[in-house]
Amino acid sequence: MGRITLDKVRKSFGEVEVIPPLDLTIEDGEFVVFVGPSGCGKSTLLRLIAGLEDVSGGEIRIDGQDATMVPPAKRGLAMVFQSYALYPHMSVRKNIAFPLRMAKMDAAEQERRVKAAADVLNLTDYLDRRPGQLSGGQRQRVAIGRAIVREPAAFLFDEPLSNLDAALRVGMRLEISELHKRLKTTMIYVTHDQVEAMTMADKIVVLRAGHIEQVGSPLELYRNPRNVFVAGFIGSPKMNLVDGPIAASHDAATIGIRPEHIRVSDEAGDWLGKVGVSEHLGSDTFFHVTCEGISEPLTVRVGGEVDLRYGDKVWLSPDPDHLHRFDDKGLRIA
Amino acid sequence: MAPAVFLLLVWMLVPLCMTLWFSLRDYRPLRGGDLGFVGLENFARFVSSSSFWPAVLTTVLIVGGVLLVSIIFGVLLAMLLDQPMWGQGIVRILVIAPFFVMPTVSALVWKNMFMDPTNGVFAHIWRAFGADPVVWLTDVPILSLILIISWQWLPFATLILLTAFQSLDSEQLEAAEMDGANPLARFFFIALPHLSRAITIVILIQTIFLLAVFAEIFVTTGGAFGTRTLTYLIYQRVLESQNVGLGSAGGVYAIILANIVALFLMRIVGKNLDR
Amino acid sequence: MARAVTTQRKALNTAVAWTVGLLIFFPILWTVLTSFKTEAEAIANPPVILFFDWTLENYGVVQERSNYMRFLWNSVIIAGGSTLLGVLIAVPAAWSMAFVPSKRTKDILLWMLSTKMLPAVGVLYPIYLLCIQLGVLDNRVALVVILMLINLPIIVWMLYTYFREIPGEILEAARMDGAGLKEELLYVLTPMAVPGIASTILLNFILAWNEAFWTLNLTSVDAAPLTAFIASYSSPEGLFFAKLSAASTMAIAPILILGWFSQKQLVRGLTFGAVK
Ligand SMILES: Nc1ncnc2c1ncn2[C@@H]1O[C@H](COP(=O)(O)OP(=O)(O)OP(=O)(O)O)[C@@H](O)[C@H]1O
Ligand SMILES: [Mg+2]
């Protein structure tokens, strides 16, 4: 079981309030991803849940039990750190077994669990090595191994893949998702990476300056961002945001339109623009188009290869069904 | 933390206060002990005595000479040791070894086995070239001391400068090479500025230790032939002639002098702590 | 540098470096060689370098005449005792400064450093007097304490820089894994700190072994370590090159060997972490 509830949880470092009172419920077995700009308090929130930081106010409940004052080891949670935090003087086997040893589990059971974890994570051949003799991906797996042997109520990950190269990241991403499907344990995962958030999460929590801006499934957030911030934050490349007279003509302070929801034509349309830099990805092409009356260039996605060159004139038309409208406070207009 | 701080505090304050106290009194244990308060007279007498300025000069010559030798040869040696070669580790050890020799041994070995005018190695070499052996410690005493002390401290400078050299990003040198800098220019515009911090640190630390040089003089000349440094002068005033008041005033001067140097060192070290 | 170096260039480097290295090392080498000569060979002109009758006689004589073992033993006790005592006192201090730093930590560290800069001669008489009054002049325990205090700042500093390299996340991971304070200390921190503590002990043992201001001024017979033993040879009657060499070799050999292991720590320890 692993249902985690935060009730008016607050955190200040001295004078600075990093997390204003915040409510959040994480259901058992859910994969929850925290995203938000750097310094918004993702790690702090995770560490509050872990018990590595004391809350300044509010209550944390794990499976209905008040855990606010419970020390980290007693909360039944396991954490995977960004730097892996492996014990350099212990072999992989000892590293993975460490939490079991701390729990005074008998040796045979320790060995069995370490074997099982090593099997799942493809670490069987490396059990006698030291962390220093492993590659980044392997170290990451050891850190995960150390977390799973405890059979925790929930896993906490703080940007676990950010030290890996791109190819390994994709691989580990799949492995963690796979692990979640198999163990069905609650996972809370902090990341900067859009793709990780969109592909792994059951539920995304978007944070800004310690506030929760929106909570929802990846597609919910993508389709119905509650405000301008979420609209701009979720999705890559970013949603185009336009204000001024053009937005006013749609009865909004700001309108947003995703790159894939803009039609391109060389004959007619709503906005006339000039093609700037284009990015050809093969399957898709992104054009940056500067339009009259719109300060920022718009990003437009076109499927496949399209023959538009730097400096060409094009007409753009937003798809009215996918136009997002926001009021002057940045909130979505239904 | 508390016990360490407390111990050091006592260790520093008690003797310091005693020195200050003595420096204000006419205190001569062999001539009737404490003869009362004399104000700043000891301070004035210490600097006006005929041995004061020569001692200052000797100190400056020795400290300056050793610094000069160890920095110049230290940079050269560090550069040499940084080159690819066979047996680098062994050469490194050979160069560093003198630092581990206790000061009394190195002074004694140099004094007798090298500088002895009849049987020393130098005398043999001089005679082999048909020259008259130099009576090192009497004829050129300060030069001899600089030689001995430099031999002890050169390894220290070399080791630190070598460490600094090795932290120099080789891409920086390559970039400079691409920019058309010749080896000399690369040395003066890239390597030397990179070393400047390490050199400063070597200068400061060595200055503090060199100001306190004692055993080398004690063993070789015993302060004769104009080799009396400030430290040695104070030592003689305090323990040999037992003029504690006068010596303590000298001690206060030495403490002030060392603190001035230390202040610069602390600023560098302190900056480093912040990172 | 990654670039290939021509063999000639490398050979030239090697030749120059070895020449310079041997030149610098020569006094030590010469001392060791001379210690195996007879007194006559030791002052022979021209000097004999390798082809002489190797003898161990000098070592026997030095040992018998001057009771070398007692000086050696004093050195071991003074250097070892002061180092161990210093480490015992410094570990908790460095520990708390590295893991629970306060605003004052930096000031305290710098202040400790400044005590190390205090010129010994400035406080010579007070210490001398205190030793007399406490009846501990020429006493090993007194020297253990004094040398411990002299090197305490360096010990604290070295340990501090080592401890600070232990990442905080590891400690947090241990706490998440259920380690209490005791287990954290025992299974995680101590094993990770051992190499740092060992290097600190090594370097400070060397520094204490070679210390030659207090050991010369505060000892006469009973507590005199090797520094004083060697200094006694500077009087004219001690002037026998071969025996002098044997005595010197015995005084420096242990430390030269230890020194080879501590090259790296030397830089860290003596520059207070300012050069890495
Ligand atoms: N121990 C601390 N003392 C004081 N301020 C802190 C402390 N830890 C974090 N903060 C501050 O709290 C805010 C949130 O930090 P946090 O590490 O949670 O951000 P984050 O969202 O994880 O950022 P990133 O994406 O860069 O990891 C930051 O402004 C940070 O400066
Ligand atoms: Mg973070």
Side-chain angles (χ1 to χ4, degrees), chain B residues 180-202:
Chain B
N182 62 27
L184 212 62
R186 290 206 294 274
F187 176 76
F188 280 105
F189 293 113
I190 313 286
L192 213 53
H194 176 81
L195 284 187
S196 63
R197 221 176 86 94
I199 292 179
T200 317
I201 289 167
V202 170

Side-chain angles (χ1 to χ4, degrees), chain A residues 37-44 46-47 82 158-159 190-192:
Chain A
S38 190
C40 70
K42 305 181 294 286
S43 300
T44 306
L46 198 70
R47 293 162 57 82
Q82 182 175 1
D158 192 355
E159 307 197 28
V190 171
T191 182
H192 264 123

